[in-house]
Amino acid sequence: MFKFTIPVFIATAILIVGCNDSLPPSDNSMNMDNSSSSLTFMNFYARATQDEMSAAYGMIMNKTNDDINLTGVNITDQIIKGMAEIHQTTIKEGIASMAKIETLTIPANGSVTLEPGGFHIMLMKLQGPLIKGDPLSLSFNDSNNNEYAIILSIEKMAMDMDHSKH
């Protein structure tokens, strides 16, 4: 019973967190140094939440002729504290699971979309609610020690959810 319960719980959590009944605005995230940056972060948003967990989504475009390997992400907000990790959702034998990944490769002259059911930024141990309309600051790091700072918007809650038992 225990082995079955955890995958079902994780799959349910993924589906609920990933519910998206409206499209995000066209582009309310911004790369803090967009003019000289090799990466562009577009349409980044996170879901509003009252508890300590959410997820962030968007598109990352690489404007260079070389792959860029993102190796980490941090919440840099002055008000909301917590931790962030790059995660990937996979489905194996009908069971969805999420796992932290160490490197997210943005291909040369290409892009990667972070979306429900795939790659995403997991926002955990949040020390305050994410409120619709508020901004949230994140920074990404790559394997060459470059930092990419963005500000994303908080969108409406997909559904009330209690993550306190995680």
Side-chain angles (χ1 to χ4, degrees):
M1 170 96 177
F2 184 73
K3 288 182 182 178
F4 178 73
T5 304
I6 291 175
V8 170
F9 176 75
I10 290 171
T12 302
I14 290 167
L15 291 174
I16 291 173
V17 170
C19 287
N20 187 1
D21 54 38
S22 65
L23 295 173
S26 61
D27 188 7
N28 46 347
S29 61
M30 52 188 133
N31 187 336
M32 300 304 281
D33 187 19
N34 203 20
S35 61
S36 64
S37 179
S38 51
L39 294 180
T40 299
F41 295 80
M42 297 177 58
N43 303 322
F44 260 80
Y45 69 100
R47 287 283 175 209
T49 183
Q50 295 297 319
D51 59 16
E52 61 181 28
M53 190 178 298
S54 187
Y57 310 104
M59 181 191 299
I60 306 171
M61 295 176 48
N62 180 350
K63 301 184 284 188
T64 73
N65 294 324
D66 298 306
D67 291 350
I68 296 178
N69 297 308
L70 296 178
T71 56
V73 60
N74 295 294
I75 297 173
T76 55
D77 200 84
Q78 297 299 312
I79 298 171
I80 299 294
K81 306 295 180 200
M83 61 183 283
E85 294 178 346
I86 303 169
H87 280 208
Q88 181 177 18
T89 303
T90 56
I91 298 176
K92 186 173 182 177
E93 298 178 13
I95 299 173
S97 63
M98 285 188 296
K100 177 183 177 184
I101 59 171
E102 299 301 321
T103 303
L104 176 63
T105 300
I106 313 302
N109 296 303
S111 64
V112 171
T113 300
L114 284 68
E115 59 190 351
F119 294 113
H120 58 279
I121 305 303
M122 205 67 214
L123 305 171
M124 302 170 291
K125 299 183 181 178
L126 297 172
Q127 297 175 6
L130 298 182
I131 299 170
K132 181 181 178 191
D134 284 354
L136 181 68
S137 302
L138 300 178
S139 69
F140 291 81
N141 301 91
D142 70 19
S143 57
N144 293 320
N145 294 318
N146 295 310
E147 183 175 70
Y148 306 90
I150 68 166
I151 299 172
L152 56 90
S153 70
I154 307 302
E155 297 299 320
K156 72 178 184 173
M157 223 180 287
M159 159 181 277
D160 286 333
M161 221 179 135
D162 180 10
H163 292 289
S164 64
K165 309 240 182 327
H166 284 232

